[in-house]
Amino acid sequence: MNNTVEVLRGLFNYKYYTYKLRDAEHVPGIWKNTILLTILSGLVFGISAYFGIGSEYLSKELTSIPREEYEMQKLLFMAGQTILGLVFGIIMIFLPALFFWTLSDLELKKLLAVQIFVLPILLFEKLIGIPLALTLGLTQVSSPFALGTIAQYITGNDFIIYLLATISIFKVWVIFIEYMYLKMLTGKKTAIILLMVIGFNLVIWLFSALISFVQFDKIL
């Protein structure tokens, strides 16, 4: 195996990389890529915050508080989002890997490699939301790549809208990558792998929808 985890090659050529992971006694480059992608996650969240995405509550206070206080709050928001991005990167690499590890006999490092292929998809979804928000004013709930827009036409239930808004073509791509790697690496039955992958991602979607539904900024 090469001396590094080839992120893009593993993302687009899963058959080739499954062969390498299956036969590898060691998976070098895991921690280096984990650190780099976690930092990248923090940068993506920080850039999004720099353009004010997700800080609508703060914009409403622009005329009611001094300019210096507004800039300080904006700076704190950017710092908070950057930290959130770092935490997001770590969670999305380690949490699914640990979950799949408990249900299989694969080495944890091989499952971490799979999640290293997955994280760039989620960051790309976050990144592509920036121009959509700046040019068209579209929030995550109204993203053309997710089911949130359709949900707004069929129900007035905010929780269901937030839940469907988390389901996008990028999340389907994540499920596909996780499914293909787990299927070929473990050799388990299709139904079992689908139950593991979809079940885990459904829990993540429900938790994300709950966070959006509660709107902690209004509580605070």
Side-chain angles (χ1 to χ4, degrees):
M1 192 167 186
N2 294 340
N3 59 353
T4 183
V5 176
E6 302 162 284
V7 177
L8 292 180
R9 195 168 189 178
L11 179 58
F12 292 104
N13 195 349
Y14 51 85
K15 290 183 179 178
Y16 162 80
Y17 220 89
T18 298
Y19 172 77
K20 298 188 71 174
L21 279 178
R22 184 190 293 147
D23 295 340
E25 294 183 0
H26 304 287
V27 190
I30 288 292
W31 305 121
K32 175 186 174 183
N33 281 283
T34 296
I35 293 172
L36 290 176
L37 283 172
T38 300
I39 294 173
L40 180 62
S41 179
L43 286 174
V44 170
F45 274 68
I47 292 171
S48 177
Y50 172 79
F51 288 108
I53 299 171
S55 65
E56 290 78 11
Y57 75 96
L58 186 59
S59 301
K60 294 176 182 177
E61 298 182 3
L62 180 60
T63 57
S64 60
I65 61 176
R67 184 72 186 180
E68 294 76 13
E69 183 178 346
Y70 172 79
E71 292 297 336
M72 179 57 69
Q73 290 194 25
K74 184 178 178 181
L75 188 61
L76 290 174
F77 174 74
M78 287 177 56
Q81 285 293 302
T82 301
I83 295 172
L84 178 62
L86 296 174
V87 174
F88 175 82
I90 293 172
I91 288 177
M92 295 315 299
I93 289 176
F94 282 90
L95 190 59
L98 287 170
F99 176 76
F100 298 139
W101 178 62
T102 61
L103 300 178
S104 70
D105 54 359
L106 289 175
E107 293 179 37
L108 180 59
K109 281 190 174 182
K110 293 183 179 181
L111 292 167
L112 289 173
V114 174
Q115 291 311 124
I116 283 175
F117 304 146
V118 164
L119 182 57
I121 300 174
L122 300 174
L123 296 182
F124 181 68
E125 180 179 23
K126 180 77 175 177
L127 206 56
I128 205 171
I130 296 176
L132 289 177
L134 294 178
T135 58
L136 302 175
L138 296 179
T139 62
Q140 181 184 357
V141 175
S142 301
S143 170
F145 302 109
L147 299 178
T149 303
I150 297 175
Q152 293 176 63
Y153 284 104
I154 61 178
T155 181
N157 186 301
D158 287 341
F159 181 77
I160 294 177
I161 292 174
Y162 286 126
L163 176 60
L164 293 179
T166 64
I167 304 174
S168 65
I169 59 173
F170 300 100
K171 302 300 191 329
V172 174
W173 189 3
V174 166
I175 287 178
F176 175 76
I177 293 294
E178 291 176 340
Y179 167 78
M180 293 304 298
Y181 272 106
L182 289 176
K183 175 66 178 175
M184 290 189 284
L185 287 173
T186 66
K188 291 182 180 292
K189 293 182 178 179
T190 298
I192 294 176
I193 298 298
L194 285 175
L195 184 62
M196 289 168 56
V197 174
I198 295 178
F200 177 80
N201 281 279
L202 181 59
V203 172
I204 295 293
W205 297 342
L206 286 168
F207 184 74
S208 299
L210 181 62
I211 295 295
S212 299
F213 178 73
V214 172
Q215 298 183 357
F216 286 103
D217 58 286
K218 290 183 178 180
I219 296 176
L220 299 175

